[in-house]
Amino acid sequence: MHKVSLGKIGVETSALGMGCASLGSRISAAKGHEALERAWEAGVRWYDVAPAYGAGEAEGLLGDFLKTKPADAAQICTKVGLLPPPQSAAKKLIRTVLRPAVGALGPLRAMIRKSGATANHKTPLSPDLLRTSLEQSLTRLKVEQVTLYALHNADPADLQRDDILRVLEDLIATGKTRAVAVAGDGDAALAACAKGAPFSAVQLAHPAQDLAPLQAAQAANLDAITHSVFGVAGELAALEHRLRQDPSLQTPITEAGFVKPDASPKEIAAAALLARARAANPNGVVLCSMFSPRSLKQNVAAAQTAPTAPPL
């Protein structure tokens, strides 16, 4: 696994990070543990989590896994600002009983979303929330410090609040987090760039159409973590369709070594999009959800060397 040095945060870590949003909800505890173990063996050391992830279960499950590993060997990013939905008995039943089929059947995913069982909700930031949320996260993760503590779906206006900034500085000083960040949209990233300290990093979706927020973060020497690299608007499916319609487009990607020559158009499309994201963020972490052995194998294979842009 290629490694990157996050200069502002001050750590070296894996170029790929494990996104844990579905750990404990769509992915069961047992399957999740297996996937985390596979990722660890493949060299993944950056883990992205939040109190809302996995219907509130992800932090605890990640903590159970990491306590079996050497202390301080992993880097953890958790967040504050989103809470999981209240889990009534009926909602828990829907989530637990139907989980095995959810990954295969789109209608079931839609039904669960409609039930509200997966609808996280935003909560206003306050000094007390920042302190208590981090303490609770540390307890669930079974650690004394996280690498990065991020304002989740941050409102740019919150980045100007003295009470918020003082608490974040306090949490760094007390050693409960190594650094703090903003996790949100492009506007939030730009606001963090303008503010500077105490923020050391930004986390945002890979900006396929507008690289300005990511480039601003890089220019401001903030570390960058990107996610949704396969597109949030059907980019993977669209690129796969293009490759099927014009097979000649596949050849430069396979010949460049981004994927095996016998890969399917979907695998070639995924490899190209991951390569694009890594090339745009060469000194940062790219998050992927790698809970299936196939996706983990393909993503890790594409992250063995320094990033280069795909010929597409």
Side-chain angles (χ1 to χ4, degrees):
M1 170 72 68
H2 183 68
K3 294 185 181 299
V4 293
S5 293
L6 303 179
K8 198 74 170 180
I9 299 173
V11 296
E12 183 181 71
T13 191
S14 53
L16 293 187
M18 184 80 166
C20 298
S22 57
L23 178 61
S25 53
R26 183 175 62 83
I27 304 298
S28 70
K31 293 294 184 183
H33 186 92
E34 293 171 3
L36 291 169
E37 188 65 56
R38 288 192 298 267
W40 182 274
E41 291 300 317
V44 174
R45 292 296 181 270
W46 185 276
Y47 296 87
D48 182 81
V49 73
Y53 288 174
E57 301 293 328
E59 286 185 318
L61 294 175
L62 179 61
D64 289 340
F65 170 74
L66 289 178
K67 73 180 181 181
T68 68
K69 305 303 176 188
D72 302 324
Q75 290 77 50
I76 304 171
C77 172
T78 195
K79 310 177 188 76
V80 58
L82 286 185
L83 294 176
Q87 292 293 303
S88 67
K91 288 180 180 178
K92 287 182 180 179
L93 183 64
I94 290 173
R95 179 164 57 85
T96 303
V97 173
L98 297 182
R99 180 189 288 127
V102 167
L105 298 176
L108 280 179
R109 289 198 299 270
M111 186 180 81
I112 291 178
R113 284 195 299 268
K114 188 175 181 180
S115 76
T118 60
N120 300 326
H121 62 93
K122 190 170 182 176
T123 183
L125 296 183
S126 69
D128 284 345
L129 176 67
L130 266 62
R131 294 189 186 95
T132 58
S133 182
L134 182 54
E135 289 289 353
Q136 291 165 355
S137 290
L138 292 172
T139 298
R140 289 188 288 263
L141 290 163
K142 302 168 184 65
V143 296
E144 295 182 357
Q145 182 191 68
V146 293
T147 309
L148 196 62
Y149 188 46
L151 305 184
H152 208 173
N153 282 14
D155 184 331
D158 286 331
L159 277 59
Q160 304 299 323
R161 290 173 50 187
D162 286 341
D163 58 340
I164 297 298
L165 298 175
R166 282 198 300 270
V167 171
L168 292 175
E169 290 167 350
D170 231 22
L171 294 174
I172 296 170
T174 58
K176 296 182 185 298
T177 182
R178 186 181 185 94
V180 296
V182 172
D185 60 15
D187 288 341
L190 290 172
C193 295
K195 184 62 185 174
F199 300 107
S200 294
V202 297
Q203 180 170 311
L204 69 165
H206 173 74
Q209 305 305 321
D210 180 12
L211 288 173
L214 178 57
Q215 292 170 340
Q218 293 163 340
N221 293 319
L222 296 183
D223 295 318
I225 300 97
T226 53
H227 60 88
S228 303
V229 301
F230 302 119
V232 294
E235 284 184 83
L236 178 59
L239 181 53
E240 179 188 357
H241 178 72
R242 282 180 58 199
L243 295 174
R244 290 187 185 279
Q245 292 293 105
D246 184 358
S248 68
L249 295 174
Q250 301 178 29
T251 305
I253 303 173
T254 57
E255 288 184 346
F258 290 105
V259 69
K260 292 183 178 179
D262 60 350
S264 69
K266 184 175 182 179
E267 290 171 333
I268 296 172
L273 292 178
L274 179 56
R276 179 192 68 175
R278 292 189 64 221
N281 187 23
N283 300 311
V285 176
V286 174
L287 298 178
C288 298
S289 177
M290 298 178 282
F291 285 101
S292 79
R294 187 171 185 174
S295 65
L296 172 70
K297 183 178 180 180
Q298 181 172 328
N299 292 340
V300 169
Q304 295 300 307
T305 59
T308 56
L312 186 66

